[in-house]
Amino acid sequence: MKNNTIGFMIAVVVTLASAGLAAQEQKQPAAKAENAPQAEPKTPSVPLRLQIVISTSQGEKKIASVPYMLSVNAMPQPRTGRPAQLRMGTRVPVPTTKQPTVDGKSVSDIPGFLTSPTSFTYQDIGTNIDCVASMTDNGRFELTISIEDTSIREEKRNEPPLFRTFRLSNQVVVLRDGESTQFTTVTDRISGEVIRVDVTLTVMK
């Protein structure tokens, strides 16, 4: 009888010890998980729609107003996303061989005169826009904008064309959702025409 009692007590002790070890083994992964560094939550980018308008005026008269629309993702600072790029243009042929004149008139306008073949070079005419956007405080967005705009001016016949190039590099503008601003004004020294650039920011829902 005593042997049976002793054997039963030993079995109980062994069972309790095994259960304790199993419980410790189950707790160890949990402890490791608690000590493991937690990844910081990623802040998503904010999609924006920008409208950039390049307008030209002569005095009070507006000559041209060309809008451009592009989408860009605003990233948290100090990170910056990939720039949004817009390219719009045409290659314009420019004659490099000038026809001779007689009494102030080009021989191409006088019947019976033979004209020499005209050779051409090509000039890029159009607009390039680059923009990088980032999020700042209080729901504002910082835009870094670069613009290159090349246009051709209409001149008299048989006169060489004039090309005007307007460049703006890394202009910084801070706007909220729905805000607009005119961030550049420049005057052509030859024609007196005024070029203005306006930008409007909209957060895409």
Side-chain angles (χ1 to χ4, degrees), residues 138-152:
N138 300 324
R140 300 184 300 172
F141 300 91
E142 180 179 288
L143 309 176
T144 303
I145 302 173
S146 297
I147 299 175
E148 181 175 355
D149 181 79
T150 302
S151 58
I152 185 171

Side-chain angles (χ1 to χ4, degrees), residues 19-203:
L21 290 174
Q24 289 180 359
E25 290 178 355
Q26 291 179 357
K27 289 181 180 180
Q28 286 179 357
K32 290 182 180 179
E34 292 177 358
N35 295 331
Q38 297 182 356
E40 296 182 359
K42 294 183 178 180
T43 304
S45 61
V46 178
L48 307 177
R49 183 176 67 240
L50 303 181
Q51 177 175 277
I52 297 175
V53 180
I54 302 176
S55 58
T56 306
S57 60
Q58 180 83 57
E60 298 297 327
K61 180 182 178 181
K62 180 174 288 188
I63 300 174
S65 180
V66 184
Y68 300 92
M69 195 79 69
L70 66 158
S71 300
V72 58
N73 288 327
M75 303 295 293
Q77 289 184 337
R79 293 186 297 156
T80 55
R82 301 177 64 180
Q85 296 182 326
L86 184 149
R87 302 289 185 266
M88 179 65 188
T90 303
R91 303 201 74 194
V92 177
V94 180
T96 57
T97 302
K98 187 175 181 180
Q99 298 292 345
T101 60
V102 175
D103 295 332
K105 294 183 178 180
S106 173
V107 295
S108 60
D109 298 330
I110 302 175
F113 276 87
L114 296 177
T115 59
S116 58
T118 302
S119 59
F120 296 89
T121 60
Y122 286 84
Q123 173 72 33
D124 290 327
I125 301 297
T127 304
N128 299 329
I129 300 176
D130 296 87
C131 180
V132 175
S134 60
M135 293 182 278
T136 65
D137 57 344
N138 300 324
R140 300 184 300 172
F141 300 91
E142 180 179 288
L143 309 176
T144 303
I145 302 173
S146 297
I147 299 175
E148 181 175 355
D149 181 79
T150 302
S151 58
I152 185 171
R153 292 181 55 192
E154 296 182 0
E155 296 296 325
K156 297 180 181 179
R157 186 178 180 183
N158 300 323
E159 292 293 332
L162 296 179
F163 299 95
R164 177 172 61 200
T165 299
F166 165 69
R167 291 187 180 93
L168 175 71
S169 298
N170 298 324
Q171 177 74 36
V172 177
V173 181
V174 179
L175 294 173
R176 298 178 186 272
D177 181 21
E179 285 188 338
S180 301
T181 187
Q182 185 175 103
F183 64 92
T184 293
T185 302
V186 62
T187 303
D188 189 325
R189 296 176 60 182
I190 297 177
S191 65
E193 296 174 354
V194 178
I195 301 174
R196 296 181 174 88
V197 181
D198 297 81
V199 59
T200 301
L201 182 148
T202 303
V203 176

